[in-house]
């Protein structure tokens, strides 16, 4: 069965590369002879029937732009099966036969729910949190890692000048991937992830050991999902009399900005694969990079809790910061 008319939406936190994915989705569908309808602001627009037919020109000049020109939203109401049914009705009323969902774990759970209720969907892995299982990485992760690492490099300038500790909070929701990778890339003496939490005592001990070997400044990277939080860690380090410390919460700057080449290519190829699969009548899959190649994986397995943080890499970071 070939679909003639499909929809596309971006949902959840915007990620650099979503626009490149939209461009590829629209132009690949058009090349296959399918009409494609943009749905504004994710599942919110789906519930409100905020639809707009796209042509290839609708996605001109966006491959290099951050954010998502289609808009995004967090729509908790969509967790409700009644709302999902309403969304399906809106799609069918507009003669839309299938839906492409560009987003992260929560968005792909919504996509899977529609599939399970009989409406064809294919997902495109896109989130800076890198919290989807089976895919190697998601659209936006590489750019976010680079942005956060550049910010940490700047903090290092002040840390070295003032002989201070900087405790830096990075995003990632329940995933410590951004913290681990930015910590490793910036030579942090401590990396705190929700997967392998560290106590205040242990962090103070790491700082004391570093002072004992002659270090005069420190970077500690903390995932936002870690307990204790970055502010508590900075306070504990200062109060232990180790070194003057400051907290820096990088926040949403990590999500913005133009996508790097890796994310543009990842987006272009994943979204093309997703559009081709949906138009060909497939459903219930997520398109992405899987062990170095592009593939479809079952959406039900991709949204299962995943751990991309390993003790090996955390230990490596610690060893190398000595
Ligand atoms: O999912 C992406 C993300 O940036 C998370 O890392 C963060 O926890 C969350 O979104 C923040 O959400 P919001 O932009 O809705 O505040």
């Amino acid at each position: 069965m070939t679909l003639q008319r499909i929809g596309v939406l971006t949902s959840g936190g915007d990620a650099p590369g979503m626009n490149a994915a939209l461009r590829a989705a629209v132009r690949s569908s058009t090349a296959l002879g399918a009409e494609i309808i943009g749905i504004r602001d994710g599942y919110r627009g789906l519930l409100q029937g905020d639809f707009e037919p796209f042509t290839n020109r609708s996605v001109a000049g966006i491959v290099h732009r951050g954010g998502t020109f289609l808009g995004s939203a967090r729509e908790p109401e969509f967790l409700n099966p009644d709302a999902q049914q309403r969304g399906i009705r809106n799609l069918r009323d507009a003669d839309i036969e299938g839906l492409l969902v560009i987003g992260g774990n929560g968005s792909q759970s919504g996509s899977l729910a529609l599939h399970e209720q009989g409406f064809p969907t294919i997902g495109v892995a896109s989130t800076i949190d890198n919290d989807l299982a089976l895919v190697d990485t998601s659209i936006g992760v590489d750019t976010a890692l680079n942005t956060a690492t550049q910010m940490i490099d700047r903090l290092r300038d002040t840390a070295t000048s003032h002989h201070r500790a900087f405790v830096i909070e990075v995003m990632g929701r329940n995933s410590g991937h951004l913290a681990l990778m930015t910590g490793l890339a910036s030579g942090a003496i401590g990396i705190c992830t929700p997967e392998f939490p560290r106590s205040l005592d242990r962090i103070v001990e790491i700082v004391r050991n570093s002072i004992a070997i002659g270090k005069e400044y420190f970077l500690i990277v903390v995932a936002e999902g870690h307990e204790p939080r970055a502010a508590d860690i900075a306070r504990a380090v200062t109060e232990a009399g180790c070194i003057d410390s400051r907290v820096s919460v990088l926040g949403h700057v990590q999500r913005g900005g133009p996508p790097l080449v890796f994310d543009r290519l990842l987006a272009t190829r994943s979204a093309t694969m997703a559009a081709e699969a949906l138009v060909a009548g497939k459903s219930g899959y997520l398109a992405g990079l899987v062990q170095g190649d592009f593939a479809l994986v079952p959406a039900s397995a991709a949204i299962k809790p995943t751990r991309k943080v390993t003790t090996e890499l955390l230990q490596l970071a610690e060893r190398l910061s000595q």
Side-chain angles (χ1 to χ4, degrees), residues 34-52:
E35 271 184 90
I36 181 156
I37 314 299
I39 298 164
R40 298 219 169 269
D41 300 337
Y43 293 117
R44 182 171 303 163
L46 177 55
L47 293 177
Q48 293 171 352
D50 195 354
F51 300 168
E52 179 190 338

Side-chain angles (χ1 to χ4, degrees), residues 54-163:
F54 278 163
T55 67
N56 280 358
R57 298 277 60 78
S58 312
V59 289
I62 62 167
V63 72
H64 62 297
R65 277 169 45 190
T68 160
F69 90 103
L70 195 46
S72 190
R74 303 216 181 265
E75 190 55 57
E77 194 196 344
F78 204 71
L79 295 171
N80 179 336
D82 290 342
Q84 294 160 4
Q85 279 300 322
R86 220 162 72 234
I88 292 176
R89 270 202 306 281
N90 285 349
L91 289 163
R92 292 203 171 123
D93 287 350
D95 294 325
I96 297 171
E97 303 163 292
L99 180 66
L100 290 172
V101 174
I102 302 170
N105 206 311
S107 310
Q108 300 310 337
S109 305
S111 170
L112 179 64
L114 297 181
H115 160 77
E116 285 172 345
Q117 294 180 44
F119 192 86
T121 59
I122 298 279
V124 179
S126 182
T127 163
I128 67 161
D129 298 339
N130 209 12
D131 59 356
L132 282 159
L134 303 184
V135 289
D136 302 348
T137 189
S138 292
I139 296 165
V141 173
D142 186 55
T143 305
L145 283 177
N146 277 278
T147 305
T149 304
Q150 281 169 17
M151 297 298 149
I152 295 172
D153 286 347
R154 287 165 190 247
L155 293 171
R156 178 200 294 276
D157 290 346
T158 302
T160 53
S161 306
H162 286 260
H163 316 293

Side-chain angles (χ1 to χ4, degrees), residues 276-301:
E276 287 172 354
L278 186 64
V279 171
K282 293 199 170 104
S283 178
Y285 293 98
L286 181 78
L289 194 60
V290 182
Q291 294 179 2
D293 209 351
F294 286 87
L296 296 174
V297 294
S300 54

Side-chain angles (χ1 to χ4, degrees), residues 160-266:
T160 53
S161 306
H162 286 260
H163 316 293
R164 275 184 189 160
F166 266 92
V167 184
I168 303 144
E169 183 184 287
V170 299
M171 279 189 160
R173 202 175 288 271
N174 300 320
S175 158
H177 182 82
L178 279 182
L180 172 61
M181 294 305 166
T182 52
L184 199 46
S186 48
I189 62 154
I191 301 175
C192 303
T193 68
E195 294 86 347
F196 301 101
R198 293 207 144 133
S199 67
L200 291 177
D201 286 348
R202 174 65 187 135
I203 296 163
V204 168
E205 187 187 359
I206 291 173
V207 171
R208 288 207 167 110
N209 291 343
S210 299
I211 292 171
I213 60 167
K215 290 204 166 207
E216 293 188 340
Y217 75 93
F218 312 104
L219 302 174
I220 298 171
V221 179
V222 184
E224 64 179 351
H226 184 267
E227 288 292 343
R229 301 292 300 263
D232 303 323
I233 293 172
R235 200 174 311 114
V237 169
T238 305
E239 282 172 8
C242 301
I243 186 169
D244 192 18
S245 359
R246 296 285 188 278
V247 188
S248 183
V249 178
L250 298 189
H252 287 79
V253 292
Q254 294 160 94
R255 249 166 52 187
L260 295 180
V261 171
F262 180 86
D263 281 324
R264 295 185 202 189
L265 298 179
L266 179 63

